[in-house]
Amino acid sequence: MEYEQRRLDALRSLDLLDTPESESFDRITRMASQIFQLPVAAVSLTDSERQWFKSKVGIQHNTIPRNKAPCAEVADSGELLVIEDFALDSRYCDSLLGVSGIRFYAGAPLVTREGYCLGALCVLGNEPRKSTEAERMALQDLASLVMSQIELQHTFGRIDPISGLPNRVQFSDDMSDLARVAPDENRVAVALDVAQPYQMERLSAVMGPAAYEQVIRDAARSMRTFLGLRAAIYHVSPMQFVFLAPPGIDANGYRATLLRLTASELVSAEIKYAVTPVCAMMTYIFKSTSPTNCLRALSSAVQETRASELSIGLFSDSQDHDYRRKFRLLNDFQAALTDQQQLRIVFQPRVDLLSGKIVSAEVLLRWRHPELGDISPGEFVPIIENSALAWPMTQWVLATACRQLSIWYKQGISTRLSVNFSASNLKEDVVSEIRNNLTSHGLPHHALEIELTEGSLMKHSAQVLKKLDQLVEDGIKIAIDDFGTGYSSLSYLQRLPVSVINIDRSFIQALSNGSREQKLVHSMIRLSHEMEYKVVAEGVEVPEAADLLRVMGCDEGQGYLFARPLAPRAFEDLWKDTQSAANLLTAA
């Protein structure tokens, strides 16, 4: 009995049972049928109570009972078995095969390197017959080929060494096999994402590199127990597993099961609360969805599930379209940086609220995609800022802005430009980049202002503070953009070399709502002035707002009331008008 349990463990660890038919096994089975010139052949695996056929020729069903099955005797003995006439064999004459008309059987054992027999490669016929030595040797050679294929499938780039589960290569092959066998079948595919990257970083900091292996092994073991030994589970990425729900189950009906799975003891008790597993589902139609697209869709569904702070999510075509568009924009932006026809900068004036004259302008990036047309900066900028292209984008904007500013200075337009920098930019050598651009274009340092969000400044380190201090010493102003939407605390400003506060447009556009909103903005302006900051109001769109801000003592305003973002020539004309006699406040 001890051997039988170890044999079953060996069989199940190979993840062969209840997997789709495979051409790599089918060609060996066909060869066996042809060599013996018999109508039936099979790769028959001996489970605890059944014979299951990984590959078959001339058989309609996938399994027969183990009791009185000749292949079970082969599995028990590990020896070649030939039955020349079932009618004359007392053991098998009344077996399922015997009473169904089978008269001849020959089975060669499928033995692992460790000596465990998994079952047999067998051939069967409806007439009694003899077998030659050459045929028996050929059958054993073919059985060895089957085992070689099993070992190759299990070890050569198909089994994850940590989880012991089939990987994405095997998933792709198995799903392709299912598409051939049952192309119209619909199944629910599920991705289990065990932990987020930052959670594993924290665990590794405490437990060392072994944390990853423990989480993976715990999750793999728990999923096998929860889903059952016959479930095919695939380890497709560092923290992600994929499996198919049982046939006939829809996504809504499977939600409760997945909630139990995510709430179960997926990992050991000591790290249970350090990870947050989630599941995402999609309906998988084998003939219309490739394995690669299935994994991609599940991955995007997992991201959306986490972003929505849910435990269980369902793939959405619209969400998938959004993810694919984001991916395309990210890939295409690299080419845009070197294509003179795609990217351009525009300038939105900032106006002195007392004089109505333009005193500076914010530099804004625009992208006209050659196929998709104009892409909103609200769409593409966040995508690029969270990628490796964030710094190249800022470098492009900075260089282009300085080149245009140099042209204006030569024309007597001595305005100041404000360039947005993202949090990730602060990790780069921003000081040298800014200095080099100003020097190469012959610009004074006070001609440039750097805008940073509250969030990026709150993530400052001693190294970042040193960079900001160097810029301020050079005469470059630092502004906080969208102030009030992030941490909304003036106390942290005491530690930062900031000189300009840009009040977010949401506060300015709420001024018409009532006195509470007006008092809030007035307080922000007053406190900022007391700390010796210049205040800029963003999103000024109506004259009433400009009047209120001027009464409150706000220094500058920016918004559609004064001007939309302008191309260089349009900005030149407007600047010259305001410097001569025109007043944008009066004109508005």
Side-chain angles (χ1 to χ4, degrees), residues 559-578:
Y560 289 173
L561 175 67
F562 311 117
R564 292 177 176 271
L566 302 170
R569 183 60 182 271
F571 180 85
E572 293 171 17
D573 294 340
L574 187 63
W575 187 89
K576 290 174 182 177
D577 289 343
T578 64

Side-chain angles (χ1 to χ4, degrees), residues 434-443 445:
I434 292 171
R435 285 174 177 172
N436 291 339
N437 271 282
L438 291 172
T439 301
S440 64
H441 291 96
L443 294 169
H445 287 190

